Amino acid sequence: MRRVVVTGMGAVTPVGNHLEEYWSSLVSGVCGVDFITRFDASEKKVKVAAEVKGFDPLEYFEKSELRKNDLFVQYAVAAATQAMQDSKIAGTVEPERLGVYIGSGIGGILTTTENSDKLCQGAKRVSPFMVPMMISNMAAGTVSIRFAAKGPTLPIVTACATSSHAIGEAYRAIRHGYADAIIAGGSEAAVCELTLAGFTSCMALTSNNDPKTACRPFDKNRDGFVMGEGAGAVILEEYEHAVARGAKIYGEVCGYGNASDAYHVTAPDPEAGGITRAIRLAMEEAGVEADGHTYVNAHGTSTPLNDKSESLAFHKAFGEAARAVSISSTKSMTGHMLGAAGAVEAIACLKAIETGIIPPTIGLQEADPDCDLDYTPGAAKRLDVRTAMSTSLGFGGHNACLVFRKLEEA
């Protein structure tokens, strides 16, 4: 089996539109949640979201291209471009050996609603670009075209576990020899009236409209998640290929777990069976045990059911070591970026390994008795991180766990 490392990263998030700005905001505890600006939410039950701020698509697109690309594709291209530039991999890998695994939970919902509204208002036709703008595979397709990546290209859709599964499946593709490098991650741009109404109706979103306390994972008073948006991308590369070209290596991908709850369309298994299995599978493949040098970036959505079942999973998967592990939910700052969440959280894991800093869970003031582990409340802390894990759970019962570690020589 071939080893797989991360040699480039890029992020567009509610707390920063470039990698270092994103990471600096996380360790500083910057809250990306605020009142919605994309539409008038003043009369809505939910008035807050974690929107991307100050994004300039002209850094990545010609002006004439923007009307042909939904915002989720623009975010994906931006994150992928940053990651490619960071890795300096361009020109070092054959196009047929470079792939793209970028998914989206919802795809081009802004395009869908905009064109639907036009028809309802009497228009006789919609945009000729509507279909390629709305379909969820187009982020992967556009990034593939942008970078002439002709290798395995696969968009994954597993709701909020999307980009963790994308990274995990890309890792396996390289590990088994189907590619030498893959641009992997996820993108989402779904802050609109329709999606807010849908998530509100299924009682998933917080009813707390104070931006500073709306998203408070593992807190006793949490009552739902805050919708976020953006994109994250990483360059996964075969280890020998990366070493031969002198690439900077952030860390090694060494384990991936994929398991289903087979329980409910929206609620997690209260016994945490699926996510526990995913964590155990990833740890077994990686050959690691949890200890005081382990960091976990939890899914940590700030919903009553998720945080409780995920805490149970950590107890079950880690055993007595659970209380020694450092955990945090960066969704407390970015909101829930849906299909992009796993990618930006994987990046947080790799930066924690690189810098020895654990980002905090902000807003956590009164711990839920059922969430009794070290969730790094309030402020970042220093730790010699040797192993980092990212967990993701999605509607439909999808579960994923990724394990990263500091690079060890062969």
Side-chain angles (χ1 to χ4, degrees), residues 82-159:
Q82 292 175 31
M84 287 291 287
Q85 292 173 345
D86 186 36
S87 72
K88 301 179 175 61
I89 196 174
T92 72
V93 59
E94 292 296 322
E96 293 77 11
R97 302 289 296 173
L98 174 64
V100 180
Y101 281 46
I102 294 178
S104 178
I106 297 178
I109 189 69
L110 298 181
T111 292
T112 304
T113 56
E114 178 184 338
N115 283 274
S116 175
D117 289 347
K118 285 181 180 178
L119 283 182
C120 290
Q121 292 164 9
K124 295 184 188 245
R125 64 191 297 270
V126 297
S127 168
F129 306 112
M130 187 195 83
V131 171
M133 289 174 69
M134 67 182 272
I135 51 182
S136 296
N137 69 303
M138 202 48 66
T142 303
V143 170
S144 172
I145 293 167
R146 174 67 63 98
F147 296 106
K150 300 179 180 180
T153 295
L154 183 67
I156 292 186
V157 180
T158 51

Side-chain angles (χ1 to χ4, degrees), residues 276-297:
T276 300
R277 284 194 306 279
I279 294 170
R280 286 175 174 167
L281 287 168
M283 292 173 64
E284 181 180 347
E285 182 173 61
V288 301
E289 298 288 339
D291 59 24
H293 297 283
T294 301
Y295 167 56
V296 177
N297 190 297

